[in-house]
């Protein structure tokens, strides 16, 4: 399998619940290395743009309001099959449908307030990483 990079976000509810360490531990335990990370508060405009693909959905306004309600922790994860691996660690969008032991099953309270974001494919991963980081922000790690 190829070494890939993916974008992960710990959403405002994950920060509020003090889950940064727990979530980083799960990534590192699964050999997903954190090669860039920063904490920030998304502006309305950034959140609108980041979730632009969902602009026609009924939950769009609520989603943007949730994502701007507090700080988020944005990271680039690197590892073999990182995109799919991160999606497996996160679990299904709706915590009621997420497998036990996944982040969303263990900690999320609803389909909206679901603790983490992860890129869903190679193209979105590249685009989302570029949205937050320049190439110089990403640290090379020993193999
Ligand atoms: P993410 O893109 O955040 O990693 P995802 O790929 O599992 O999540 P998407 O379908 O891309 O799910 O939805 C983006 C986000 O919008 C979800 O993570 C969730 O916060 C919110 N969302 C999705 N579906 C609903 C819904 N039916 N009602 C309310 N919020 C929703
Ligand atoms: Mg998505």
């Amino acid at each position: 399998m190829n070494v890939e990079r993916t974008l992960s976000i710990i959403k405002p509810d994950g920060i509020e619940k003090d889950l940064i360490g727990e979530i980083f531990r799960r990534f590192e335990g699964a050999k997903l290395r954190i090669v860039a990370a920063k904490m920030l508060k998304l502006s309305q405009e950034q959140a609108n743009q980041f979730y632009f693909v969902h602009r026609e959905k009924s939950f769009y306004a609520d989603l943007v309001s949730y994502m701007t309600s507090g700080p988020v922790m944005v990271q680039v994860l690197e590892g073999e099959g990182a995109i799919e691996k991160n999606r497996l660690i996160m679990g299904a969008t709706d915590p009621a449908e997420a497998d036990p032991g996944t982040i969303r099953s263990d900690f999320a309270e609803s389909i909206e307030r679901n603790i983490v974001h992860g890129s869903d494919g190679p193209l979105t991963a590249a685009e989302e990483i570029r949205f937050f980081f320049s190439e110089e922000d990403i640290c090379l790690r020993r193999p």
Side-chain angles (χ1 to χ4, degrees):
M1 209 177 272
N2 289 335
V3 173
E4 296 174 336
R5 286 177 180 168
T6 190
L7 187 88
S8 162
I9 304 178
I10 304 178
K11 298 180 178 183
D13 52 333
I15 304 294
E16 183 62 33
K17 290 178 170 165
D18 294 316
L19 290 171
I20 297 170
E22 171 67 24
I23 291 170
F24 278 14
R25 189 189 64 74
R26 291 184 184 210
F27 292 153
E28 291 183 330
K31 293 194 159 51
L32 287 178
R33 281 177 156 174
I34 297 152
V35 293
K38 63 183 169 191
M39 198 168 184
L40 58 103
K41 196 159 180 294
L42 287 171
S43 67
Q44 179 90 12
E45 196 178 306
Q46 279 176 308
N48 277 329
Q49 205 185 325
F50 189 78
Y51 280 117
F52 190 69
V53 62
H54 294 304
R55 67 195 174 283
E56 308 288 355
K57 307 266 175 65
S58 57
F59 58 80
Y60 181 64
D62 268 3
L63 176 61
V64 167
S65 141
Y66 155 53
M67 289 300 290
T68 55
S69 66
V72 296
M73 176 69 84
V74 190
Q75 324 109 62
V76 178
L77 305 178
E78 186 177 80
E80 289 200 1
I83 297 167
E84 187 55 28
K85 195 185 265 186
N86 181 38
R87 300 281 297 185
L88 290 172
I89 294 168
M90 287 163 46
T93 312
D94 183 352
E97 288 170 14
D99 289 337
T102 59
I103 292 170
R104 285 165 167 172
S105 170
D106 287 350
F107 304 115
E109 59 198 57
S110 69
I111 191 169
E112 179 181 84
R113 297 175 63 84
N114 61 4
I115 306 280
V116 276
H117 162 84
S119 308
D120 60 11
L123 291 179
T124 46
E127 199 176 298
E128 290 175 0
I129 289 170
R130 238 180 300 122
F131 189 88
F132 289 107
F133 297 99
S134 67
E135 199 52 42
E136 300 83 71
D137 294 329
I138 300 175
C139 298
L140 298 177
R141 304 273 302 260
R142 277 180 290 116

